[in-house]
Each structure stands twice: as C-alpha cells, then as structure tokens.
Amino acid sequence: GAVVSQHPSRVICKSGTSVKIECRSLDFQATTMFWYRQFPKQSLMLMATSNEGSKATYEQGVEKDKFLINHASLTLSTLTVTSAHPEDSSFYICSAREVGLGAGELFFGEGSRLTVL
Amino acid sequence: GQNIDQPTEMTATEGAIVQINCTYQTSGFNGLFWYQQHAGEAPTFLSYNVLDGLEEKGRFSSFLSRSKGYSYLLLKELQMKDSASYLCAVMDSNYQLIWGAGTKLIIKP
C-alpha cells in the first residue's frame, strides 16, 4: 500500500529554537496533507490541512505564525514549530491523500515526537 | 514485526448493530484508538482504551482485552451517516502509532 514517511521520528530541542518536521508521500502524489497533534492519552487533534501550492487551512486555536506549514510539492509537506516552548512538546502526525482517489484513501505517517526542554 | 488486523469491509443494515474487530501485535502497548473517517475527510477520534473492559459513549462502545491483543468497536442503532471507514490504531512502547488499514463500513437502508 501507499507509504507516508515522517522525519524525524523523535526530536529534542531547546526552548526558543525552531524545529522542522517533514512529511513525504513515498509512492504517490498527495494534493492534501493533514497535520495532527496528539498529547499523551488524548485524541489526535487536527491542526491544519495542507494543500499543494496554496496556503494551509488552520483549525481554530492553532497559531499560523507558530506552526508554519509548507506544501511545496505533491510529495512533501513540512511543519515548522517556531520558537518552540515546553508546552509544544507533543506527538505530531501527518497524513496524506492520494491524487485521483476519492473515498477513504488517507495514509498516515509514523509520527514525530517533539520534546522541548 | 508490529501488526494491526481489522476486516477490510463490512456491511450492515440501518438500525442494526455492528461489531468491528481489531487484533494487534505490537512492541509494548500504550493505548488503542478508534477513529472514524468519512470519505475524503480527516479521521475523527472515537475512543481510547488503555485498560481492559468496555468503554461506552452514546451509540458507540469500544472494548479492549490486552491479554488477547484484541479490541472491538460496537456501533448500535446504525444510521446512514455511520457509513465510513473505521481505523484502529495502537500506540506502542515508543509512543509510535501503529495504524490498521481501516474497515470500510457500508450501511444499507
């Protein structure tokens, strides 16, 4: 089946630094990618929807200037957590939808665990 | 390796009850999630189980048996809007989410 890869799987950074997380569709083209955040023992929360070649759509309460999303190609979307703080420590997961397929074809990355010290 | 198994597709009748099973083999266990995904949309959270037993939430219930590596999602009083894919996901010892392929549920009138 289709594969979505996230990198890095784990990252530890100092408070105030920026961290970039990549989401790649390895064997298909994705017009839309979704970014989620998940705190321990809580549900996956959709942060934003990333559309290739256009601006991302952010969910209510998600700061656009803090969580920068770039979907520059049909196989790559990036999430940059700017000026990270300890409260940003979380599990971030992306998912991607394949071009040309409609119902239900949404594939997920492995997730990236961010720890901000 | 790590593995999540759930049926590819199920069909049920409006107003009836359906049970979607999920079996897993993972490196450690930090909870099992069920998500609902409508066609072309992002998945939405349905339930989280970390202890054995049944969690009831309205028309939906989720059961977990850690010793058996088994969970099910029970949907009662099925409605047409319940037609969707249902994803089972397990968080392993490294807090990585291992996802099942999803069960496409078709509701017939």
Side-chain angles (χ1 to χ4, degrees), chain B residues 38-51:
Chain B
H38 284 102
E41 298 179 11
T44 55
F45 172 79
L46 289 178
S47 67
Y48 169 78
N49 293 69
V50 67
L51 299 176

Side-chain angles (χ1 to χ4, degrees), chain A residues 92-103:
Chain A
Y92 293 87
I93 186 169
C94 73
S95 62
R97 186 165 64 207
E98 187 170 359
V99 173
L101 293 182

Side-chain angles (χ1 to χ4, degrees), chain A residues 62-77:
Chain A
V62 178
E63 299 174 59
K64 301 179 182 181
D65 295 332
K66 181 167 185 63
F67 299 99
L68 301 178
I69 292 174
N70 187 332
H71 193 160
S73 77
L74 286 172
T75 59
L76 175 64
S77 176

Side-chain angles (χ1 to χ4, degrees), chain A residues 9-10 34 36 38 40-44 46 91 93 95 97 102-106 108-113, chain B residues 30 33 35 37-46 48 50 85 87 91 93-99 104:
Chain A
S9 58
R10 289 179 180 269
F34 302 94
Y36 299 84
Q38 185 176 36
K41 299 183 180 181
Q42 295 185 24
S43 66
L44 216 60
L46 180 64
F91 184 69
I93 186 169
S95 62
R97 186 165 64 207
E105 289 296 339
L106 194 65
F108 294 85
E110 307 93 333
S112 300
R113 181 157 299 280
Chain B
N30 278 301
F33 299 82
Y35 290 86
Q37 182 190 5
H38 284 102
E41 298 179 11
T44 55
F45 172 79
L46 289 178
Y48 169 78
V50 67
S85 287
L87 304 168
M91 185 164 280
S93 58
N94 292 320
Y95 295 96
Q96 296 288 330
L97 268 177
I98 313 301
W99 292 86
K104 184 178 181 179

Side-chain angles (χ1 to χ4, degrees), chain B residues 5-6 53 62-63 71 83 89 93:
Chain B
D5 286 318
Q6 51 182 130
S62 57
F63 172 84
S71 172
S83 291
S93 58

Side-chain angles (χ1 to χ4, degrees), chain B residues 11-16 78-83 105-109:
Chain B
T11 302
T13 305
E14 188 177 18
L78 286 170
Q79 302 175 10
M80 297 303 294
K81 67 178 182 179
D82 297 329
S83 291
L105 178 62
I106 300 169
I107 309 297
K108 294 184 176 180

